[in-house]
Amino acid sequence: MDFFAFQSGLMLFVFFGLLLVKGFAFVTALMFSAEAYEAAGKLTKVAWCAILGLGFATQLILPGPLGILNLAFTIAAFVYLADVRPALKGLTRR
């Protein structure tokens, strides 16, 4: 097996995996109300949607998932999924 073929396949897998994570985070950020963000004590809905939307667009536009901007937006998406989304879901449970 060619090493470069393996490497390019792995990078393609990472690219689409991170694209999926950022897309999921962006779509779920749109689903909660602006009041829920304020009640949870997090950044506003507009701020999170802008961050996650720019991250998704950056992933599509810039080549390679390991660029500095892609890494920064990936960290932001994981912060949203690990901290903000559970806080928002906790507020909307009945």
Side-chain angles (χ1 to χ4, degrees), residues 15-31 52-53 55-57 59-60 73 77 80-81:
F15 173 81
F16 283 115
L18 292 179
L19 186 66
L20 182 70
V21 167
K22 290 175 185 175
F24 176 74
F26 179 60
V27 169
T28 58
L30 293 171
M31 294 172 65
L52 297 172
F56 185 76
Q59 183 77 25
L60 287 174
F73 284 124
Y80 173 81
L81 292 173

Side-chain angles (χ1 to χ4, degrees), residues 4-60:
F4 294 111
F6 173 75
Q7 182 182 6
S8 65
L10 180 64
M11 291 304 284
L12 189 64
F13 178 75
V14 169
F15 173 81
F16 283 115
L18 292 179
L19 186 66
L20 182 70
V21 167
K22 290 175 185 175
F24 176 74
F26 179 60
V27 169
T28 58
L30 293 171
M31 294 172 65
F32 293 103
S33 67
E35 292 82 20
Y37 285 89
E38 293 176 19
K42 306 297 179 185
L43 285 176
T44 64
K45 179 178 182 172
V46 173
W48 274 113
C49 289
I51 292 167
L52 297 172
L54 284 173
F56 185 76
T58 302
Q59 183 77 25
L60 287 174

Side-chain angles (χ1 to χ4, degrees), residues 48-91:
W48 274 113
C49 289
I51 292 167
L52 297 172
L54 284 173
F56 185 76
T58 302
Q59 183 77 25
L60 287 174
I61 294 170
L62 294 180
L66 298 179
I68 190 73
L69 282 176
N70 280 329
L71 286 175
F73 284 124
T74 299
I75 291 169
F78 282 123
V79 166
Y80 173 81
L81 292 173
D83 181 42
V84 178
R85 185 171 178 257
L88 296 173
K89 284 184 79 169
L91 291 173

